[in-house]
Amino acid sequence: MDEIVIEVISEKIGSKEHSEIVNIVREVIEEYKFKNVRIFEREVFDENITLKYGVIPTPSIAINGVLMVIGRKPLKKEIKDLILRATMANL
């Protein structure tokens, strides 16, 4: 199975909302024992993020380079479903 890359994109790394989302993603990975998943924390003002995704509202989550959640905090179940979908796409 290929690696799954999750990018959590916020205005500021370390903000309360950003940290909450990263913690939820980590909980889902641990709880469901997903393997080969890496989390990258990104700031929306990073030039590389703007070039890759354009101007986007925050918070947002990209999985394997595709924006999956835009401008809102996702539910834990939603994150689980998105990771499962990415896992199935890699089979």
Side-chain angles (χ1 to χ4, degrees):
M1 177 170 65
D2 293 336
E3 179 178 70
I4 296 171
V5 175
I6 300 175
E7 294 173 285
V8 178
I9 305 165
S10 300
E11 282 189 34
K12 180 119 177 91
I13 293 174
S15 69
K16 181 180 179 209
E17 186 174 55
H18 178 85
S19 297
E20 288 173 356
I21 294 170
V22 170
N23 287 337
I24 292 170
V25 172
R26 286 188 177 129
E27 285 175 19
V28 168
I29 292 168
E30 290 175 21
E31 185 175 332
Y32 294 95
K33 299 178 180 16
F34 289 117
K35 304 291 184 204
N36 298 324
V37 179
R38 293 180 62 194
I39 303 170
F40 292 93
E41 299 180 49
R42 310 280 196 213
E43 288 189 355
V44 74
F45 302 112
D46 179 326
E47 183 178 321
N48 293 322
I49 293 300
T50 304
L51 290 172
K52 188 174 184 179
Y53 300 115
V55 177
I56 56 172
T58 61
S60 294
I61 295 179
I63 299 181
N64 292 339
V66 178
L67 284 170
M68 305 297 275
V69 178
I70 302 171
R72 63 184 176 80
K73 182 177 166 184
L75 300 173
K76 187 174 180 178
K77 180 188 181 320
E78 183 179 7
I79 292 172
K80 177 193 77 157
D81 292 345
L82 291 171
I83 296 173
L84 278 173
R85 189 180 316 163
T87 302
M88 298 303 289
N90 284 340
L91 292 180

